[in-house]
Amino acid sequence: MCENKDNHAKHMAEASRISREKMHAGLGGPFGAVIVKNGVVIGVGFNKVTTENDPTAHAEVVAIREACKHLDTFKLDGAVIYTSCEPCPMCLASIYWARLDRIYYANSRYDAARIGFDDEFLYGEIAKDIKDRTLEMVHLPDDVAAIAFDEWQEKEDKIAY
């Protein structure tokens, strides 16, 4: 990335400003995110979990959705994200799926845990063997599900992602 330090500070300041503004407006938790590609902001997000009754509406996911709509694509390679907090496991996975090039974050997952957010707990759960997780997971094989995977593998007109 050829962005200079001043641009990094500017974009992080915007993500942090959004987190405070939307939190104080009663729109969600203290999280904001900005996605930038070639020096241009292409997506902005803030936490909307409680206002949209959507546990997946974290700032990073909202920003990814906006950026993808803006560029009319599901791949954000060449873009970076500035977020006011180290992404939770769901947001981190979403960032990987979106193919962003880099993550810049302000607060850490430990800071989030200190104020009552589950990020650190979730990171710990993911690291555990499936049988040791708090949430029971049951493997229930299904023939049709297996066939769908076989068909996907052979599908010639699939769009890989």
Side-chain angles (χ1 to χ4, degrees), residues 8-80:
H8 291 312
K10 177 182 83 169
H11 297 310
M12 183 57 75
E14 181 62 5
S16 299
R17 183 196 66 74
I18 290 166
S19 75
R20 290 188 70 226
E21 176 186 302
K22 302 305 182 180
M23 175 194 63
H24 285 296
L27 299 176
F31 304 98
V34 175
I35 298 177
V36 178
K37 185 170 184 174
N38 299 325
V40 177
V41 174
I42 59 170
V44 173
F46 62 92
N47 185 282
K48 297 181 179 184
V49 170
T50 57
T51 53
E52 294 191 1
N53 293 319
D54 179 354
T56 69
H58 290 200
E60 297 91 340
V61 172
V62 172
I64 288 168
R65 291 172 182 162
E66 186 177 293
C68 288
K69 283 181 186 172
H70 178 82
L71 296 181
D72 194 29
T73 185
F74 58 89
K75 291 183 183 178
L76 298 175
D77 49 323
V80 299

Side-chain angles (χ1 to χ4, degrees), residues 1 3 8-9 11-12 15 32-36 59-61 63-64 76-109 119 123:
M1 297 266 71
E3 294 244 350
H8 291 312
H11 297 310
M12 183 57 75
V34 175
I35 298 177
V36 178
E60 297 91 340
V61 172
I64 288 168
L76 298 175
D77 49 323
V80 299
I81 188 166
Y82 296 85
T83 179
S84 63
C85 186
E86 179 180 357
C88 75
M90 175 187 70
C91 293
L92 181 60
S94 298
I95 290 165
Y96 272 100
W97 279 116
R99 310 294 194 253
L100 287 155
D101 286 1
R102 187 171 293 120
I103 301 167
Y104 296 94
Y105 65 95
N107 295 315
S108 73
R109 65 174 120 162
D119 303 40
Y123 272 105

Side-chain angles (χ1 to χ4, degrees), residues 109-152:
R109 65 174 120 162
Y110 308 107
D111 297 325
R114 181 179 53 79
I115 63 169
F117 288 92
D118 288 343
D119 303 40
E120 185 56 24
F121 166 75
L122 295 173
Y123 272 105
E125 284 290 297
I126 289 170
K128 292 178 182 176
D129 190 87
I130 288 176
K131 67 180 176 14
D132 297 327
R133 292 183 182 158
T134 304
L135 182 62
E136 183 179 7
M137 293 182 64
V138 180
H139 182 209
L140 189 59
D142 181 81
D143 291 342
V144 175
I147 290 168
F149 270 30
D150 292 340
E151 290 171 343
W152 175 259

